[in-house]
Amino acid sequence: MKFLVMNGVNLNLTGKREKSVYGTQTLDDINEKIATYCAKKGDEVDFYQSNIEGELVNKIHEAFLNKSYDAILFNAGAFTHYSYALRDAIAAIDIPVAEVHISNVHAREEFRNKSVLSEVCVGVVCGFGIGSYFAAIEGLRCKLQ
Ligand code: DQA
């Protein structure tokens, strides 16, 4: 299978910001671990991060139009809670998207309890640290096989 792992706003600072919430591993560390995990399973994986909503929309369109991935993992960061543009982009494509969060968004501030993306994603994983990405890969694999 071929996965695209997308990270949105502020996720480039993972490992450097709010370490008690998001841990000490950088996004490069996390991506390297995901790449190793996928390689062991015989899967391919690409990575994309942007702080810009429109660039994330463009990447979702590109993945759809080029038919380049079997599934997408998406940690949209704070965009999760209010971006109808990203929601519509996910709704527009036929590639399954898993919503991923490092932290347990339901155990934090009230504004994080609401995701405008969940309804158009095939599943949601949150609260397992970087394990959320691995759980999402396995969830997507179950859905697709
Ligand atoms: C996050 C949770 C969001 O609420 C927050 O804005 C983030 C990271 C997570 O991975 O836990 O930036 O998506």
Side-chain angles (χ1 to χ4, degrees):
M1 292 185 50
K2 187 160 184 189
F3 296 104
L4 172 64
V5 178
M6 291 182 57
N7 282 285
V9 61
N10 293 314
L11 270 302
N12 58 308
L13 292 183
T14 307
K16 300 179 179 107
R17 69 160 175 157
E18 296 181 87
K19 293 180 187 171
S20 61
V21 179
Y22 301 117
T24 54
Q25 301 192 67
T26 66
L27 190 59
D28 283 346
D29 295 336
I30 296 168
N31 288 348
E32 206 178 300
K33 288 197 166 121
I34 295 170
T36 304
Y37 182 85
C38 286
K40 276 187 192 150
K41 299 249 176 184
D43 294 322
E44 289 177 66
V45 63
D46 287 335
F47 301 94
Y48 183 76
Q49 190 277 329
S50 177
N51 293 318
I52 300 165
E53 188 182 24
E55 287 185 355
L56 293 162
V57 169
N58 285 344
K59 191 68 184 177
I60 292 168
H61 290 184
E62 186 190 301
F64 169 57
L65 296 171
N66 297 341
K67 300 188 190 310
S68 24
Y69 299 99
D70 297 304
I72 298 174
L73 286 78
F74 192 17
N75 184 348
F79 289 143
T80 304
H81 312 298
Y82 64 89
S83 175
Y84 296 114
L86 286 169
R87 179 199 166 101
D88 283 354
I90 295 167
I93 68 170
D94 58 7
I95 303 172
V97 177
E99 179 181 334
V100 179
H101 301 286
I102 295 168
S103 66
N104 180 355
V105 286
H106 301 290
R108 300 182 61 197
E109 301 94 325
E110 203 181 331
F111 77 90
R112 294 185 208 276
N113 300 168
K114 164 103 182 135
S115 164
V116 299
L117 308 183
S118 301
E119 225 181 321
V120 290
C121 289
V122 288
V124 182
V125 185
C126 74
F128 296 103
I130 73 163
S132 296
Y133 293 92
F134 300 112
I137 287 172
E138 292 315 317
L140 287 165
R141 202 194 305 287
C142 284
K143 276 268 177 191
L144 290 168
Q145 277 171 359

PDB file of all heavy atoms in Angstrom, residues 8-40:
ATOM      1  N   GLY A   8      -0.325  19.266   9.450  1.00  0.00           N
ATOM      2  CA  GLY A   8      -0.702  20.653   9.212  1.00  0.00           C
ATOM      3  C   GLY A   8      -0.020  21.627  10.145  1.00  0.00           C
ATOM      4  O   GLY A   8       1.110  21.407  10.603  1.00  0.00           O
ATOM      5  N   VAL A   9      -0.756  22.639  10.473  1.00  0.00           N
ATOM      6  CA  VAL A   9      -0.214  23.836  11.106  1.00  0.00           C
ATOM      7  C   VAL A   9       0.436  23.542  12.474  1.00  0.00           C
ATOM      8  O   VAL A   9      -0.134  22.826  13.296  1.00  0.00           O
ATOM      9  CB  VAL A   9      -1.323  24.908  11.211  1.00  0.00           C
ATOM     10  CG1 VAL A   9      -2.498  24.439  12.068  1.00  0.00           C
ATOM     11  CG2 VAL A   9      -0.798  26.234  11.689  1.00  0.00           C
ATOM     12  N   ASN A  10       1.646  24.053  12.617  1.00  0.00           N
ATOM     13  CA  ASN A  10       2.462  23.958  13.853  1.00  0.00           C
ATOM     14  C   ASN A  10       3.074  22.579  14.106  1.00  0.00           C
ATOM     15  O   ASN A  10       3.879  22.434  15.031  1.00  0.00           O
ATOM     16  CB  ASN A  10       1.667  24.391  15.104  1.00  0.00           C
ATOM     17  CG  ASN A  10       1.324  25.862  15.084  1.00  0.00           C
ATOM     18  OD1 ASN A  10       2.186  26.687  14.792  1.00  0.00           O
ATOM     19  ND2 ASN A  10       0.088  26.201  15.368  1.00  0.00           N
ATOM     20  N   LEU A  11       2.723  21.589  13.296  1.00  0.00           N
ATOM     21  CA  LEU A  11       3.275  20.249  13.540  1.00  0.00           C
ATOM     22  C   LEU A  11       4.767  20.192  13.209  1.00  0.00           C
ATOM     23  O   LEU A  11       5.473  19.309  13.699  1.00  0.00           O
ATOM     24  CB  LEU A  11       2.491  19.198  12.744  1.00  0.00           C
ATOM     25  CG  LEU A  11       1.263  18.551  13.426  1.00  0.00           C
ATOM     26  CD1 LEU A  11       1.645  17.870  14.727  1.00  0.00           C
ATOM     27  CD2 LEU A  11       0.156  19.522  13.690  1.00  0.00           C
ATOM     28  N   ASN A  12       5.249  21.160  12.450  1.00  0.00           N
ATOM     29  CA  ASN A  12       6.705  21.236  12.184  1.00  0.00           C
ATOM     30  C   ASN A  12       7.482  21.532  13.468  1.00  0.00           C
ATOM     31  O   ASN A  12       8.687  21.282  13.525  1.00  0.00           O
ATOM     32  CB  ASN A  12       7.008  22.309  11.126  1.00  0.00           C
ATOM     33  CG  ASN A  12       6.509  23.687  11.518  1.00  0.00           C
ATOM     34  OD1 ASN A  12       5.333  23.834  11.875  1.00  0.00           O
ATOM     35  ND2 ASN A  12       7.363  24.676  11.468  1.00  0.00           N
ATOM     36  N   LEU A  13       6.803  22.035  14.489  1.00  0.00           N
ATOM     37  CA  LEU A  13       7.479  22.337  15.763  1.00  0.00           C
ATOM     38  C   LEU A  13       7.381  21.187  16.765  1.00  0.00           C
ATOM     39  O   LEU A  13       7.786  21.333  17.924  1.00  0.00           O
ATOM     40  CB  LEU A  13       6.886  23.612  16.389  1.00  0.00           C
ATOM     41  CG  LEU A  13       7.162  24.920  15.651  1.00  0.00           C
ATOM     42  CD1 LEU A  13       6.575  26.092  16.434  1.00  0.00           C
ATOM     43  CD2 LEU A  13       8.643  25.141  15.417  1.00  0.00           C
ATOM     44  N   THR A  14       6.822  20.069  16.338  1.00  0.00           N
ATOM     45  CA  THR A  14       6.703  18.921  17.233  1.00  0.00           C
ATOM     46  C   THR A  14       8.088  18.524  17.754  1.00  0.00           C
ATOM     47  O   THR A  14       9.064  18.496  16.991  1.00  0.00           O
ATOM     48  CB  THR A  14       6.045  17.721  16.501  1.00  0.00           C
ATOM     49  OG1 THR A  14       4.822  18.176  15.933  1.00  0.00           O
ATOM     50  CG2 THR A  14       5.756  16.576  17.459  1.00  0.00           C
ATOM     51  N   GLY A  15       8.163  18.261  19.061  1.00  0.00           N
ATOM     52  CA  GLY A  15       9.451  17.943  19.684  1.00  0.00           C
ATOM     53  C   GLY A  15      10.139  19.175  20.249  1.00  0.00           C
ATOM     54  O   GLY A  15      11.067  19.077  21.042  1.00  0.00           O
ATOM     55  N   LYS A  16       9.617  20.350  19.818  1.00  0.00           N
ATOM     56  CA  LYS A  16      10.204  21.611  20.293  1.00  0.00           C
ATOM     57  C   LYS A  16       9.176  22.428  21.060  1.00  0.00           C
ATOM     58  O   LYS A  16       9.510  23.254  21.889  1.00  0.00           O
ATOM     59  CB  LYS A  16      10.708  22.438  19.114  1.00  0.00           C
ATOM     60  CG  LYS A  16      11.771  21.723  18.297  1.00  0.00           C
ATOM     61  CD  LYS A  16      12.234  22.565  17.113  1.00  0.00           C
ATOM     62  CE  LYS A  16      13.303  21.843  16.329  1.00  0.00           C
ATOM     63  NZ  LYS A  16      12.832  21.331  15.039  1.00  0.00           N
ATOM     64  N   ARG A  17       7.899  22.236  20.795  1.00  0.00           N
ATOM     65  CA  ARG A  17       6.836  23.009  21.470  1.00  0.00           C
ATOM     66  C   ARG A  17       6.070  22.089  22.432  1.00  0.00           C
ATOM     67  O   ARG A  17       5.954  20.884  22.184  1.00  0.00           O
ATOM     68  CB  ARG A  17       5.856  23.608  20.459  1.00  0.00           C
ATOM     69  CG  ARG A  17       5.005  22.577  19.763  1.00  0.00           C
ATOM     70  CD  ARG A  17       3.738  23.165  19.145  1.00  0.00           C
ATOM     71  NE  ARG A  17       3.045  22.135  18.401  1.00  0.00           N
ATOM     72  CZ  ARG A  17       1.767  22.158  18.117  1.00  0.00           C
ATOM     73  NH1 ARG A  17       1.034  23.187  18.444  1.00  0.00           N
ATOM     74  NH2 ARG A  17       1.200  21.169  17.455  1.00  0.00           N
ATOM     75  N   GLU A  18       5.554  22.659  23.492  1.00  0.00           N
ATOM     76  CA  GLU A  18       4.675  21.953  24.446  1.00  0.00           C
ATOM     77  C   GLU A  18       5.024  20.461  24.550  1.00  0.00           C
ATOM     78  O   GLU A  18       4.199  19.589  24.285  1.00  0.00           O
ATOM     79  CB  GLU A  18       3.219  22.119  24.017  1.00  0.00           C
ATOM     80  CG  GLU A  18       2.740  23.556  24.047  1.00  0.00           C
ATOM     81  CD  GLU A  18       1.274  23.677  23.644  1.00  0.00           C
ATOM     82  OE1 GLU A  18       0.412  23.541  24.535  1.00  0.00           O
ATOM     83  OE2 GLU A  18       0.995  23.898  22.465  1.00  0.00           O
ATOM     84  N   LYS A  19       6.265  20.222  24.983  1.00  0.00           N
ATOM     85  CA  LYS A  19       6.783  18.839  25.007  1.00  0.00           C
ATOM     86  C   LYS A  19       5.967  17.905  25.899  1.00  0.00           C
ATOM     87  O   LYS A  19       5.902  16.706  25.641  1.00  0.00           O
ATOM     88  CB  LYS A  19       8.246  18.831  25.456  1.00  0.00           C
ATOM     89  CG  LYS A  19       9.172  19.484  24.453  1.00  0.00           C
ATOM     90  CD  LYS A  19      10.612  19.460  24.926  1.00  0.00           C
ATOM     91  CE  LYS A  19      11.479  20.281  23.976  1.00  0.00           C
ATOM     92  NZ  LYS A  19      12.832  20.487  24.453  1.00  0.00           N
ATOM     93  N   SER A  20       5.347  18.474  26.950  1.00  0.00           N
ATOM     94  CA  SER A  20       4.556  17.617  27.846  1.00  0.00           C
ATOM     95  C   SER A  20       3.289  17.118  27.144  1.00  0.00           C
ATOM     96  O   SER A  20       2.707  16.116  27.545  1.00  0.00           O
ATOM     97  CB  SER A  20       4.189  18.381  29.125  1.00  0.00           C
ATOM     98  OG  SER A  20       3.414  19.503  28.786  1.00  0.00           O
ATOM     99  N   VAL A  21       2.882  17.818  26.102  1.00  0.00           N
ATOM    100  CA  VAL A  21       1.673  17.420  25.362  1.00  0.00           C
ATOM    101  C   VAL A  21       2.035  16.590  24.123  1.00  0.00           C
ATOM    102  O   VAL A  21       1.421  15.555  23.851  1.00  0.00           O
ATOM    103  CB  VAL A  21       0.868  18.675  24.906  1.00  0.00           C
ATOM    104  CG1 VAL A  21      -0.375  18.269  24.128  1.00  0.00           C
ATOM    105  CG2 VAL A  21       0.497  19.554  26.084  1.00  0.00           C
ATOM    106  N   TYR A  22       3.046  17.057  23.389  1.00  0.00           N
ATOM    107  CA  TYR A  22       3.339  16.453  22.085  1.00  0.00           C
ATOM    108  C   TYR A  22       4.614  15.615  22.061  1.00  0.00           C
ATOM    109  O   TYR A  22       4.964  15.052  21.020  1.00  0.00           O
ATOM    110  CB  TYR A  22       3.420  17.550  21.008  1.00  0.00           C
ATOM    111  CG  TYR A  22       2.139  18.349  20.893  1.00  0.00           C
ATOM    112  CD1 TYR A  22       2.110  19.721  21.173  1.00  0.00           C
ATOM    113  CD2 TYR A  22       0.948  17.729  20.527  1.00  0.00           C
ATOM    114  CE1 TYR A  22       0.934  20.452  21.076  1.00  0.00           C
ATOM    115  CE2 TYR A  22      -0.238  18.448  20.436  1.00  0.00           C
ATOM    116  CZ  TYR A  22      -0.234  19.804  20.710  1.00  0.00           C
ATOM    117  OH  TYR A  22      -1.410  20.519  20.617  1.00  0.00           O
ATOM    118  N   GLY A  23       5.313  15.517  23.220  1.00  0.00           N
ATOM    119  CA  GLY A  23       6.507  14.683  23.280  1.00  0.00           C
ATOM    120  C   GLY A  23       7.762  15.406  22.807  1.00  0.00           C
ATOM    121  O   GLY A  23       7.723  16.591  22.444  1.00  0.00           O
ATOM    122  N   THR A  24       8.844  14.672  22.794  1.00  0.00           N
ATOM    123  CA  THR A  24      10.147  15.279  22.506  1.00  0.00           C
ATOM    124  C   THR A  24      10.693  14.885  21.132  1.00  0.00           C
ATOM    125  O   THR A  24      11.743  15.366  20.716  1.00  0.00           O
ATOM    126  CB  THR A  24      11.179  14.864  23.575  1.00  0.00           C
ATOM    127  OG1 THR A  24      11.196  13.433  23.661  1.00  0.00           O
ATOM    128  CG2 THR A  24      10.843  15.439  24.944  1.00  0.00           C
ATOM    129  N   GLN A  25       9.980  14.034  20.451  1.00  0.00           N
ATOM    130  CA  GLN A  25      10.465  13.634  19.115  1.00  0.00           C
ATOM    131  C   GLN A  25      10.061  14.680  18.087  1.00  0.00           C
ATOM    132  O   GLN A  25       8.920  15.152  18.080  1.00  0.00           O
ATOM    133  CB  GLN A  25       9.877  12.279  18.739  1.00  0.00           C
ATOM    134  CG  GLN A  25      10.247  11.198  19.745  1.00  0.00           C
ATOM    135  CD  GLN A  25       9.905   9.819  19.227  1.00  0.00           C
ATOM    136  OE1 GLN A  25      10.504   9.362  18.272  1.00  0.00           O
ATOM    137  NE2 GLN A  25       8.949   9.177  19.853  1.00  0.00           N
ATOM    138  N   THR A  26      10.994  15.006  17.225  1.00  0.00           N
ATOM    139  CA  THR A  26      10.702  16.002  16.183  1.00  0.00           C
ATOM    140  C   THR A  26       9.867  15.341  15.082  1.00  0.00           C
ATOM    141  O   THR A  26       9.759  14.111  15.011  1.00  0.00           O
ATOM    142  CB  THR A  26      12.000  16.547  15.563  1.00  0.00           C
ATOM    143  OG1 THR A  26      12.641  15.465  14.857  1.00  0.00           O
ATOM    144  CG2 THR A  26      12.936  17.116  16.614  1.00  0.00           C
ATOM    145  N   LEU A  27       9.337  16.184  14.198  1.00  0.00           N
ATOM    146  CA  LEU A  27       8.550  15.631  13.088  1.00  0.00           C
ATOM    147  C   LEU A  27       9.434  14.746  12.206  1.00  0.00           C
ATOM    148  O   LEU A  27       8.977  13.707  11.713  1.00  0.00           O
ATOM    149  CB  LEU A  27       7.903  16.766  12.272  1.00  0.00           C
ATOM    150  CG  LEU A  27       6.870  16.309  11.248  1.00  0.00           C
ATOM    151  CD1 LEU A  27       5.717  15.543  11.900  1.00  0.00           C
ATOM    152  CD2 LEU A  27       6.323  17.496  10.456  1.00  0.00           C
ATOM    153  N   ASP A  28      10.694  15.145  12.043  1.00  0.00           N
ATOM    154  CA  ASP A  28      11.626  14.294  11.266  1.00  0.00           C
ATOM    155  C   ASP A  28      11.811  12.937  11.940  1.00  0.00           C
ATOM    156  O   ASP A  28      11.828  11.901  11.262  1.00  0.00           O
ATOM    157  CB  ASP A  28      12.985  14.969  11.105  1.00  0.00           C
ATOM    158  CG  ASP A  28      12.966  16.065  10.044  1.00  0.00           C
ATOM    159  OD1 ASP A  28      11.984  16.121   9.262  1.00  0.00           O
ATOM    160  OD2 ASP A  28      13.916  16.869  10.008  1.00  0.00           O
ATOM    161  N   ASP A  29      11.963  12.944  13.286  1.00  0.00           N
ATOM    162  CA  ASP A  29      12.093  11.669  14.032  1.00  0.00           C
ATOM    163  C   ASP A  29      10.860  10.792  13.794  1.00  0.00           C
ATOM    164  O   ASP A  29      10.970   9.588  13.542  1.00  0.00           O
ATOM    165  CB  ASP A  29      12.177  11.901  15.556  1.00  0.00           C
ATOM    166  CG  ASP A  29      13.419  12.664  15.996  1.00  0.00           C
ATOM    167  OD1 ASP A  29      14.420  12.622  15.256  1.00  0.00           O
ATOM    168  OD2 ASP A  29      13.373  13.290  17.078  1.00  0.00           O
ATOM    169  N   ILE A  30       9.700  11.422  13.926  1.00  0.00           N
ATOM    170  CA  ILE A  30       8.432  10.685  13.793  1.00  0.00           C
ATOM    171  C   ILE A  30       8.324  10.105  12.374  1.00  0.00           C
ATOM    172  O   ILE A  30       8.018   8.920  12.189  1.00  0.00           O
ATOM    173  CB  ILE A  30       7.226  11.607  14.111  1.00  0.00           C
ATOM    174  CG1 ILE A  30       7.270  12.056  15.580  1.00  0.00           C
ATOM    175  CG2 ILE A  30       5.904  10.915  13.795  1.00  0.00           C
ATOM    176  CD1 ILE A  30       6.306  13.188  15.922  1.00  0.00           C
ATOM    177  N   ASN A  31       8.616  10.960  11.389  1.00  0.00           N
ATOM    178  CA  ASN A  31       8.495  10.507   9.993  1.00  0.00           C
ATOM    179  C   ASN A  31       9.475   9.374   9.692  1.00  0.00           C
ATOM    180  O   ASN A  31       9.145   8.441   8.955  1.00  0.00           O
ATOM    181  CB  ASN A  31       8.705  11.682   9.035  1.00  0.00           C
ATOM    182  CG  ASN A  31       7.522  12.643   9.054  1.00  0.00           C
ATOM    183  OD1 ASN A  31       6.473  12.328   9.607  1.00  0.00           O
ATOM    184  ND2 ASN A  31       7.691  13.808   8.452  1.00  0.00           N
ATOM    185  N   GLU A  32      10.652   9.468  10.269  1.00  0.00           N
ATOM    186  CA  GLU A  32      11.649   8.410  10.062  1.00  0.00           C
ATOM    187  C   GLU A  32      11.130   7.075  10.623  1.00  0.00           C
ATOM    188  O   GLU A  32      11.280   6.027   9.993  1.00  0.00           O
ATOM    189  CB  GLU A  32      12.942   8.817  10.776  1.00  0.00           C
ATOM    190  CG  GLU A  32      14.194   8.204  10.165  1.00  0.00           C
ATOM    191  CD  GLU A  32      15.429   8.689  10.906  1.00  0.00           C
ATOM    192  OE1 GLU A  32      15.660   9.915  10.918  1.00  0.00           O
ATOM    193  OE2 GLU A  32      16.117   7.833  11.486  1.00  0.00           O
ATOM    194  N   LYS A  33      10.518   7.153  11.818  1.00  0.00           N
ATOM    195  CA  LYS A  33       9.976   5.923  12.435  1.00  0.00           C
ATOM    196  C   LYS A  33       8.825   5.351  11.600  1.00  0.00           C
ATOM    197  O   LYS A  33       8.713   4.137  11.437  1.00  0.00           O
ATOM    198  CB  LYS A  33       9.501   6.215  13.865  1.00  0.00           C
ATOM    199  CG  LYS A  33      10.680   6.431  14.782  1.00  0.00           C
ATOM    200  CD  LYS A  33      10.311   6.315  16.249  1.00  0.00           C
ATOM    201  CE  LYS A  33      11.582   6.186  17.068  1.00  0.00           C
ATOM    202  NZ  LYS A  33      11.756   7.225  18.067  1.00  0.00           N
ATOM    203  N   ILE A  34       7.990   6.248  11.085  1.00  0.00           N
ATOM    204  CA  ILE A  34       6.876   5.780  10.238  1.00  0.00           C
ATOM    205  C   ILE A  34       7.439   5.154   8.961  1.00  0.00           C
ATOM    206  O   ILE A  34       6.965   4.102   8.508  1.00  0.00           O
ATOM    207  CB  ILE A  34       5.907   6.949   9.905  1.00  0.00           C
ATOM    208  CG1 ILE A  34       5.225   7.468  11.181  1.00  0.00           C
ATOM    209  CG2 ILE A  34       4.863   6.499   8.877  1.00  0.00           C
ATOM    210  CD1 ILE A  34       4.435   8.759  10.992  1.00  0.00           C
ATOM    211  N   ALA A  35       8.465   5.775   8.394  1.00  0.00           N
ATOM    212  CA  ALA A  35       9.076   5.245   7.154  1.00  0.00           C
ATOM    213  C   ALA A  35       9.650   3.849   7.391  1.00  0.00           C
ATOM    214  O   ALA A  35       9.464   2.939   6.573  1.00  0.00           O
ATOM    215  CB  ALA A  35      10.152   6.202   6.655  1.00  0.00           C
ATOM    216  N   THR A  36      10.336   3.668   8.537  1.00  0.00           N
ATOM    217  CA  THR A  36      10.915   2.361   8.875  1.00  0.00           C
ATOM    218  C   THR A  36       9.813   1.327   9.059  1.00  0.00           C
ATOM    219  O   THR A  36       9.899   0.203   8.547  1.00  0.00           O
ATOM    220  CB  THR A  36      11.755   2.474  10.181  1.00  0.00           C
ATOM    221  OG1 THR A  36      12.718   3.491   9.985  1.00  0.00           O
ATOM    222  CG2 THR A  36      12.435   1.167  10.534  1.00  0.00           C
ATOM    223  N   TYR A  37       8.762   1.735   9.775  1.00  0.00           N
ATOM    224  CA  TYR A  37       7.616   0.846  10.030  1.00  0.00           C
ATOM    225  C   TYR A  37       6.992   0.408   8.700  1.00  0.00           C
ATOM    226  O   TYR A  37       6.728  -0.780   8.482  1.00  0.00           O
ATOM    227  CB  TYR A  37       6.601   1.614  10.880  1.00  0.00           C
ATOM    228  CG  TYR A  37       5.374   0.847  11.275  1.00  0.00           C
ATOM    229  CD1 TYR A  37       5.376   0.035  12.403  1.00  0.00           C
ATOM    230  CD2 TYR A  37       4.192   0.955  10.540  1.00  0.00           C
ATOM    231  CE1 TYR A  37       4.231  -0.666  12.783  1.00  0.00           C
ATOM    232  CE2 TYR A  37       3.047   0.260  10.906  1.00  0.00           C
ATOM    233  CZ  TYR A  37       3.071  -0.544  12.029  1.00  0.00           C
ATOM    234  OH  TYR A  37       1.935  -1.231  12.398  1.00  0.00           O
ATOM    235  N   CYS A  38       6.772   1.363   7.816  1.00  0.00           N
ATOM    236  CA  CYS A  38       6.136   1.052   6.526  1.00  0.00           C
ATOM    237  C   CYS A  38       7.043   0.158   5.679  1.00  0.00           C
ATOM    238  O   CYS A  38       6.570  -0.784   5.040  1.00  0.00           O
ATOM    239  CB  CYS A  38       5.792   2.338   5.773  1.00  0.00           C
ATOM    240  SG  CYS A  38       4.369   3.184   6.480  1.00  0.00           S
ATOM    241  N   ALA A  39       8.334   0.455   5.687  1.00  0.00           N
ATOM    242  CA  ALA A  39       9.276  -0.348   4.887  1.00  0.00           C
ATOM    243  C   ALA A  39       9.243  -1.806   5.347  1.00  0.00           C
ATOM    244  O   ALA A  39       9.223  -2.727   4.520  1.00  0.00           O
ATOM    245  CB  ALA A  39      10.675   0.223   5.007  1.00  0.00           C
ATOM    246  N   LYS A  40       9.196  -2.017   6.667  1.00  0.00           N
ATOM    247  CA  LYS A  40       9.156  -3.388   7.208  1.00  0.00           C
ATOM    248  C   LYS A  40       7.905  -4.133   6.762  1.00  0.00           C
ATOM    249  O   LYS A  40       7.909  -5.341   6.601  1.00  0.00           O
ATOM    250  CB  LYS A  40       9.185  -3.351   8.746  1.00  0.00           C
ATOM    251  CG  LYS A  40      10.588  -3.242   9.295  1.00  0.00           C
ATOM    252  CD  LYS A  40      10.571  -3.389  10.815  1.00  0.00           C
ATOM    253  CE  LYS A  40      11.937  -2.981  11.360  1.00  0.00           C
ATOM    254  NZ  LYS A  40      11.849  -2.419  12.697  1.00  0.00           N
TER     255      LYS A  40
END
